[in-house]
Amino acid sequence: MTCPRSGCLASRSVRASSDTCVVRTGLRENEMANQTAVTEYILLGLQEHHKLEMVLFVLCLGIYSVNVLGNSLLIVLNMLDPRLHSPMYFFLSNLSLMDICGTSSFVPLMVVNFLKTQRTISFPGCALQMYLTLALGSTECLLLAVMAYDRYVAICQPLRYPEIMRRQTCVQMVVLSWGMGFANSLLQSLLTWNVSFCGHNIINHFFCEILAVLKLACGDISLNALLIMVATVILTLAPLLLIFLSYIFILTTILRVPSAAGRRKAFSTCSAHIIVVVVFYGTISFMYFKPKAKDPDLDKIIALFYGVVTPSLNPIIYSLRNAEVKAAAIALLWGDLLSRKMSHLPCCSSTLSCMAG
């Protein structure tokens, strides 16, 4: 006995829809399994060049130590020496703090991984590392633009400098820089971790850098690419344009100074900042706009130079190019700075006077 044609079609359609539901359910389950299975990531680094990694271990550990000590010294000098209680050194202290936090977010783990054969990082650790490196890098671009504006006001409008660069205004500009950098990183991170990775967990880098993480994606990342492009224009290229315009006005003003000594003095106040900007943006430009290297390990070493070496140069540049910082460092070395600072404290000043008596 045969079934009616409509009944056969109905049974076939039921079986087909049932099969489709099973397939879709299976795909969803597989996708969810892929998403939840990744609890840690493997950082490749330079596993095939172990001897080079031993050299990098020594170099990175030494440079990181110089970075932390040098930038910490700048922060301490700014706190102790009244001569450094000005907007320029307030911004410089924030830059130093940024460099310490930025390198500390990935260098310690990276240095430890140089000594290990299996280099892993947990998912929360990778997410935090990517968030901090991106946030602090974006914030540094904005802060360098703020520092350029400070030099513009100091040289081009010196009489209005105390009025324009009030402490409240300086704090607001710094807070805005930190806030925009961290807000951008939060948005980028949320979009990145919402992308499907299909269980891929091998990152071809020393640390969890956003572009290296996005290379693991198996889904559509066009929105991520668009957001990164917009953020690059707003947080990297726009500050660079403001820095460039500021120094055009500064150079024009300096050239109008009649005496050579006056021109040298005016230029010396911003020479350290110019060097820091050139090193920072020069490294970024070389890293992202150069032709792609045939050996991917070369790109990783260049990124390592940008992330580790560049922050350690800032205290060296400012200490060599700035007479006030050198004077404050010498005073701290000989103990004069601490004794002057303690003499201004009520409890210490009374003790010192009793000892003198």
Side-chain angles (χ1 to χ4, degrees):
M1 183 176 177
T2 59
C3 62
R5 184 176 180 85
S6 60
C8 292
L9 290 173
S11 63
R12 287 174 186 170
S13 63
V14 169
R15 283 199 301 272
S17 62
S18 176
D19 292 342
T20 303
C21 290
V22 169
V23 170
R24 288 176 179 172
T25 303
L27 288 173
R28 280 197 296 270
E29 289 176 353
N30 288 335
E31 185 178 351
M32 291 175 65
N34 285 332
Q35 292 288 350
T36 56
V38 178
T39 58
E40 63 180 16
Y41 291 89
I42 299 172
L43 301 169
L44 289 183
L46 296 173
Q47 280 187 329
E48 297 179 359
H49 307 279
H50 186 65
K51 290 184 179 178
L52 178 57
E53 285 193 329
M54 291 300 98
V55 175
L56 290 176
F57 168 79
V58 176
L59 288 176
C60 290
L61 185 60
I63 294 171
Y64 175 68
S65 301
V66 170
N67 170 35
V68 173
L69 291 173
N71 283 298
S72 299
L73 178 62
L74 283 178
I75 295 172
V76 170
L77 290 176
N78 181 65
M79 293 171 60
L80 295 179
D81 198 326
R83 292 172 296 181
L84 303 183
H85 292 173
S86 65
M88 182 176 75
Y89 296 108
F90 172 67
F91 297 138
L92 178 59
S93 295
N94 277 270
L95 183 65
S96 296
L97 178 61
M98 205 174 300
D99 288 335
I100 293 172
C101 295
T103 51
S104 299
S105 66
F106 72 94
V107 172
L109 178 63
M110 181 187 68
V111 169
V112 171
N113 284 341
F114 283 149
L115 304 176
K116 295 165 63 177
T117 53
Q118 186 71 11
R119 299 94 182 273
T120 58
I121 183 172
S122 65
F123 172 76
C126 186
L128 180 63
Q129 195 176 75
M130 188 183 78
Y131 173 72
L132 289 176
T133 52
L134 181 61
L136 293 163
S138 304
T139 305
E140 186 159 355
C141 295
L142 296 169
L143 190 60
L144 288 173
V146 170
M147 294 173 75
Y149 175 72
D150 171 70
R151 293 299 84 205
Y152 159 75
V153 177
I155 294 174
C156 299
Q157 302 185 46
L159 298 179
R160 296 188 60 203
Y161 184 79
E163 176 190 351
I164 297 174
M165 302 304 293
R166 293 175 299 173
R167 182 168 183 80
Q168 183 181 359
T169 305
C170 295
V171 171
Q172 288 173 349
M173 288 193 289
V174 166
V175 170
L176 183 62
S177 299
W178 284 84
M180 288 182 66
F182 276 76
N184 166 64
S185 182
L186 179 61
L187 179 59
Q188 302 265 15
S189 299
L190 290 175
L191 285 176
T192 298
W193 296 116
N194 279 328
V195 172
S196 175
F197 292 101
C198 300
H200 301 155
N201 70 330
I202 300 177
I203 299 175
N204 190 18
H205 213 299
F206 294 107
F207 57 95
C208 293
E209 192 256 350
I210 185 168
L211 296 180
V213 172
L214 283 174
K215 286 181 181 178
L216 305 180
C218 60
D220 182 25
I221 59 169
S222 56
L223 179 60
N224 300 78
L226 177 63
L227 187 63
I228 289 174
M229 186 186 304
V230 172
T232 302
V233 171
I234 296 175
L235 300 178
T236 305
L237 299 181
L240 179 60
L241 178 61
L242 291 174
I243 293 169
F244 182 71
L245 292 175
S246 297
Y247 277 106
I248 287 178
F249 288 113
I250 289 171
L251 185 61
T252 304
T253 304
I254 290 176
L255 292 176
R256 290 182 189 151
V257 177
S259 66
R263 287 194 296 269
R264 280 196 302 271
K265 184 178 179 181
F267 185 75
S268 66
T269 61
C270 53
S271 58
H273 180 257
I274 293 174
I275 296 172
V276 169
V277 169
V278 169
V279 170
F280 181 80
Y281 275 100
T283 311
I284 290 179
S285 301
F286 183 76
M287 187 168 61
Y288 289 109
F289 298 116
K290 71 173 182 60
K292 188 173 180 61
K294 294 180 181 179
D295 185 3
D297 290 340
L298 180 60
D299 288 331
K300 287 187 274 188
I301 292 174
I302 294 170
L304 190 64
F305 176 87
Y306 163 72
V308 179
V309 178
T310 304
S312 66
L313 295 177
N314 293 346
I316 298 173
I317 292 169
Y318 272 96
S319 61
L320 291 177
R321 301 292 305 179
N322 194 292
E324 291 177 329
V325 174
K326 284 191 285 188
I330 293 171
L332 180 65
L333 181 64
W334 291 105
D336 297 340
L337 195 57
L338 284 174
S339 60
R340 285 204 306 266
K341 188 69 176 179
M342 290 178 66
S343 66
H344 286 86
L345 298 176
C347 58
C348 298
S349 58
S350 59
T351 304
L352 290 172
S353 61
C354 290
M355 290 175 63

